Structure formats: structure tokens, C-alpha cells
Amino acid sequence: MGNRFQATDRFADGAQYIGGRLRPGTSGQEHSVVDPATGERVFTYELASTADVDAAVAAARDAFPGWSGATPGERSDALHRFAGVLAEQADDLARAESLQCGKPVKLTTEFDVPGTVDNTAFFAGAARHLQGQSAGEYSGDHTSYVRREAIGVVGSIAPWNYPLQMAAWKVLPAIAAGNTIVLKPAELTPLTSLMFAQAATEAGIPDGVVNIVTGAGRTTGEHLVGHPDVAMTSFTGSTPVGRRVAEIATATVKRLHLELGGKAPFVVFDDADLEAAAHGAVAASLINSGQDCTAATRAYVQRPLFDAFVARVAELMETVRLGDPFDPATDLGPLVSHVHRDRVAAFVDRARGYATVVTGGEAPGGDLKAGAYYRPTLITGAAQDSEVVQSEIFGPVLVALPFDGDDEGIRLANDTPYGLAASAWSRDVFRANLATRELRAGCVWINDHIPIISEMPHGGYKASGFGKDMSSYSFEEYTQVKHVMYDNTAVAAKDWHRTIFGDR
């Protein structure tokens, strides 16, 4: 992969992308992107002000008539070119993502970047399939049909855990449907969102269709959500912040899409393939250092397999290689920041008072001491109502709990406020089918946990939010549905008029 990405050189003109060009923020406040593997500042920039948000929204508003008026084929062609530009820049995108997030380069090169390119290619095709209901004479005297129309300017807020993929999940369905967008990435990780917007311009997508404002949530983010010219808000992040976003958005009656927190259960029935379940649990709990809202966090294991499962998961976790994200041999990178690492560690330290830390539960020393690293951690003996079982830790921490009957396992799995993702492990097709019906989550895997594909929707139940990312279902979020009705009779005094005035 070569040297680390040189962000200062790439973004010398600033960390705002408005109307097709980079520009500095105007808040007067500086912020630094920190490499979480070393603690070193790698890029310092000026945050956006509310005036920058206004400028970005104005650029998006000005671009909307032309972009929404383009044919589906024209938008599709532009998105195909966009996918090609992203593929050409894959190496830079992967290195930038690893630098700002601490992700192992094998994750960014094999998951984050190719997933984003594939998303872009998918929406290039989907742009040509914005179809409504077929025309028909449903009243007998009229012909009806349904139009799907772009909403307008979308104001989106993306999180720090998957900056590139979340930029794609927000931007692509919005612009494929003919909207324009202002995206606010997390201040910690703006680099690949900016690169994504630049690639859109290089692909020939008109200036102002994709804009980026990098600023603080309480100022920039709230101003974007409440802006009178923003017709829709899409937010991915924590449930508490999602509630605040909803309060602001509903005050101006905006369309709202929320993808919020998760606490995904991993249900292992007693006929499951133990080795498959153990490997799956380690991979699903440690992806992106556990900073994934669909990551496996609660393993419910039927009692006959429980002890063997715990022993095997602990054994596998101890083989995971922590190290430099740019070393291809590294399995697990640091968490996104030292502040977040300390938050995760505090959850585990409090759990020692009521549960058992089987393995991990500490930050490594030696060459990794300067980074925001935390060892893969397995906890047992926690009660169902305990903090580590109920709260979103968002780190490389898995809690394992036993259950007896099948109904108990499903009940415990559903017993949190969240409902984003879940998995069930069984060789029995009837058991597996029951789990898919009974688990209250927007995505349920059987004998796997984590894989996602562009053609299928992603979104949650309960406190995990509502609405869908990816797939053609996402157009439900980013389009207005309009019923058009034509009179076919050419009769001036229609029979139904007599219910209002006159006689039959």
C-alpha cells in the first residue's frame, strides 16, 4: 500500500466541498484529524460555520432543477462514470480510510472501497427503474397513474465508523432519484467523504449536486437539519442524537430517515455447527474493531454448547493480531480515538464488578501503546438487565449468555430497545425459519452474521430507527409519490357534483 495518505497535500484548499470545489470553513475554529494508530495529527482544517451550510444548501438548491430534470438515463450514465472514477481511485480511498479511522488496510481494500464502488454501480442501474404503479381506470371514469418525483435538497449526517460507505449510502439513492444533497460527515473522519464528492465532480455530475460541510454537530449539523430549504433529513448515528435530529426535523415537517444504534444478538441453538458459530462470532464482533451497529454484541448460546462456545471464542480471539493498520497482516486496528477507546474500556471495567472477563479487557502496551487500541474482549456471567448486555458499547466486546429453551433464546435476543440486526445458528430449517419470523430486527442472518449486499435493504426496528439504506427500497425514502388522475368522460356536469349542489 505504500506510505500513509497525505491529507494535508490533498486538502490544502479546505475541508468543505461546495458547488464543485474545495474551500475552507469560516467558523474560525480549527479541528484536527488524528491517526488513531499513532495519536498523531495528520490534517488540520477550519470547521464549517452556519454560513457555510447556507452556501452549500444554496448550491444544492440551484442545482436541483437541472439534475432532477435530467432523464433517468442521463443520471444513470453519470453514476456509471462515478463508479469508474471511484474504482480508479481505490488505492487512495483505502489509504485515506485507514489513516483517519485506523481500519486495517485489508478491511478497507476488501470491504469498504469495493463495497462503495459496487453501491455506486448498483444505483447507476437503479436510477433507470424509478417506476410507479401502472396506469389504470380504477374509478371507471378516470385514468390514474403514479409518478415518483425527487424531493429537493437532502441534508444528511453521516457517522465516523464507515465514512466512505456511509457517504455512499446517503448520497447515491438521493442523487439517483434526482435530488441534490448536502452531507455532513463526522469531524473526526471527513477525508473520504470529500474524496467521494470530488470523484462525483470528476465523473461529470454537475456542480452543486453533491456538497460536503464538515463541522460540529451542535452547530453545523443542527443548522443543516433545521434549514428551511432542506426538504429531507437522513441521519445515521446514535439513538440519543437521532432523537435530537428528529425533534429539529419534525419542527419543519421534513421527510426523515433514521438509522440508529444496535445491539445485535447472535443466537446459537444446540444443533448449530460449533466451529462455524465460534468463527462467525469472532469475525462479527470484531469487524471494524466492533465499531459497527450490526456487529454481534450478545451471544445467546443454548446451554449444551455454551461452555464449548466460550472456550473456542476465547481461543480464537487470542489469535487476533493487533498492529499497524497499514501492515497487511494486521487483523485489528485501533478504535477511532483515545476518547472512544477509554469509553469502551470503562464499560468493561465496570462489568468486572458483576461479570467475568474471559479474555482481553485491556489496552496493549509496547509498540501499540500510543494508539487507541483495545484487545478483543469476551465477557460471561452478566445478567440480562446489566449495562454490557443492554447498552451499545461500540467496541471489540462480546458478551456470552446461556439459555435453555428455544423460546427463551428468542425472548432474550429481543429484550433490548434495539432492532437493527440479528443472527441465528442452527442446522434445522424449521428452527431457522422460526427465528427469522420471531427476531425483531431489520436484518436477520442464518448461519452467518455481517454480510451486506447492494441489492438488499439495510435498516432497523424499534430504537434502531426507520427507513432503508441501499437497494431499490431506499427510493421510498428519497422520492415523493404523486397520484395523477385524468377525467375520461368530458362531461361538464358530473353525477358526483350532485352530492354537493343541485339535483340529480
Side-chain angles (χ1 to χ4, degrees):
M1 290 297 297
N3 298 325
R4 280 169 159 73
F5 184 82
Q6 298 301 312
T8 300
D9 295 340
R10 179 65 180 264
F11 302 110
D13 292 332
Q16 318 303 324
Y17 195 75
I18 299 172
R21 66 181 182 88
L22 287 171
R23 52 191 265 185
T26 61
S27 69
Q29 296 177 287
E30 285 193 340
H31 187 82
S32 292
V33 176
V34 175
D35 178 352
T38 63
E40 298 174 0
R41 296 182 180 186
V42 294
F43 176 55
T44 299
Y45 65 95
E46 192 167 347
L47 292 168
S49 66
T50 56
D52 297 321
V53 174
D54 292 341
V57 171
R61 185 186 61 219
D62 291 346
F64 177 72
W67 183 246
S68 62
T71 67
E74 289 167 338
R75 290 198 295 269
S76 176
D77 289 346
L79 285 164
H80 276 299
R81 294 193 301 270
F82 190 8
V85 173
L86 292 169
E88 291 169 1
Q89 298 179 3
D91 181 73
D92 276 355
L93 288 164
R95 289 189 300 119
E97 198 78 333
S98 290
L99 178 71
Q100 66 182 353
C101 300
K103 295 172 185 275
V105 74
K106 68 178 181 178
L107 182 65
T108 59
T109 56
E110 296 179 32
F111 182 73
D112 295 73
V113 174
T116 300
V117 174
D118 185 71
N119 264 206
T120 310
F122 170 81
F123 279 106
R128 302 186 82 127
H129 296 280
L130 277 168
Q131 297 169 343
Q133 191 173 0
S134 298
E137 287 68 49
Y138 299 97
S139 78
D141 291 337
H142 305 82
T143 296
S144 288
Y145 69 89
V146 171
R147 291 176 56 89
R148 282 190 180 273
E149 297 181 348
I151 296 171
V153 178
V154 178
S156 291
I157 299 176
W160 47 257
N161 57 333
Y162 288 100
L164 178 60
Q165 286 197 316
M166 292 299 100
W169 287 17
K170 299 298 182 195
V171 170
L172 293 171
I175 67 172
N179 302 285
T180 56
I181 190 166
V182 179
L183 173 73
K184 191 198 91 64
E187 310 94 292
L188 291 173
T189 55
L191 304 182
T192 47
S193 298
L194 292 165
M195 295 168 72
F196 189 76
Q198 288 178 306
T201 299
E202 289 180 42
I205 292 174
D207 293 350
V209 172
V210 180
N211 306 274
I212 308 291
V213 288
T214 310
R218 290 188 179 276
T219 53
T220 307
E222 292 198 2
H223 189 65
L224 177 61
V225 173
H227 200 288
D229 290 334
V230 169
M232 174 186 167
T233 291
S234 176
F235 170 80
T236 296
S238 71
T239 297
V241 178
R243 292 192 186 101
R244 175 61 180 158
V245 168
E247 289 174 3
I248 299 169
T250 53
T252 51
V253 199
K254 297 185 193 304
R255 178 78 67 88
L256 183 61
H257 168 220
L258 298 174
E259 199 262 89
L260 306 178
K263 190 71 177 173
F266 186 102
V267 183
V268 182
F269 293 105
D270 58 13
D271 67 329
D273 182 325
L274 177 62
E275 194 68 8
H279 278 82
V282 173
S285 63
L286 300 184
I287 185 172
N288 200 30
S289 297
Q291 300 166 127
D292 186 311
C293 49
T294 62
T297 61
R298 300 176 291 137
Y300 294 99
V301 185
Q302 207 149 23
R303 205 170 294 275
L305 288 186
F306 183 76
D307 289 343
F309 176 88
V310 168
R312 185 61 175 137
V313 168
E315 182 180 36
L316 290 171
M317 280 187 168
E318 288 163 6
T319 69
V320 172
R321 299 164 296 188
L322 280 70
D324 178 1
F326 286 87
D327 183 343
T330 292
D331 296 323
L332 195 73
L335 280 78
V336 74
S337 69
H338 289 77
V339 170
H340 185 60
R341 191 272 310 275
D342 293 346
R343 177 185 175 276
V344 170
F347 271 102
V348 177
D349 290 343
R350 290 192 295 271
R352 296 180 199 278
Y354 56 81
T356 300
V357 177
V358 178
T359 189
E362 63 181 4
D367 294 342
L368 302 181
K369 186 176 181 179
Y373 291 89
Y374 199 75
R375 293 193 185 282
T377 300
L378 177 63
I379 295 174
T380 60
Q384 176 67 13
D385 62 356
S386 63
E387 181 186 49
V388 290
V389 175
Q390 294 293 326
S391 298
E392 190 173 29
I393 299 173
F394 225 57
V397 180
L398 177 66
V399 184
L401 303 92
F403 69 91
D404 292 305
D406 290 13
D407 290 346
E408 180 191 14
I410 298 297
R411 178 180 61 78
L412 292 171
N414 287 333
D415 182 29
T416 71
Y418 300 105
L420 187 59
S423 66
W425 298 71
S426 173
R427 291 183 173 98
D428 186 317
V429 65
F430 298 103
R431 231 175 188 178
N433 279 338
L434 181 66
T436 65
R437 295 194 301 273
E438 298 297 325
L439 287 168
R440 300 291 295 163
C443 176
V444 178
W445 293 281
I446 298 298
N447 295 325
D448 209 342
H449 191 118
I450 284 298
I452 54 175
I453 50 175
S454 298
E455 291 83 357
M456 289 290 113
H458 177 87
Y461 288 21
K462 303 189 291 186
S464 292
F466 48 82
K468 300 299 178 185
D469 290 310
M470 299 198 299
S471 82
S472 59
Y473 288 97
S474 64
F475 287 136
E476 302 297 331
E477 317 304 321
Y478 294 98
T479 56
Q480 297 274 22
V481 173
K482 178 186 287 184
H483 170 214
V484 178
M485 196 176 213
Y486 284 90
D487 170 61
N488 293 329
T489 66
V491 173
K494 294 179 171 56
D495 189 54
W496 75 265
H497 293 173
R498 305 301 177 253
T499 64
I500 313 302
F501 70 98
D503 299 319
R504 291 188 183 278

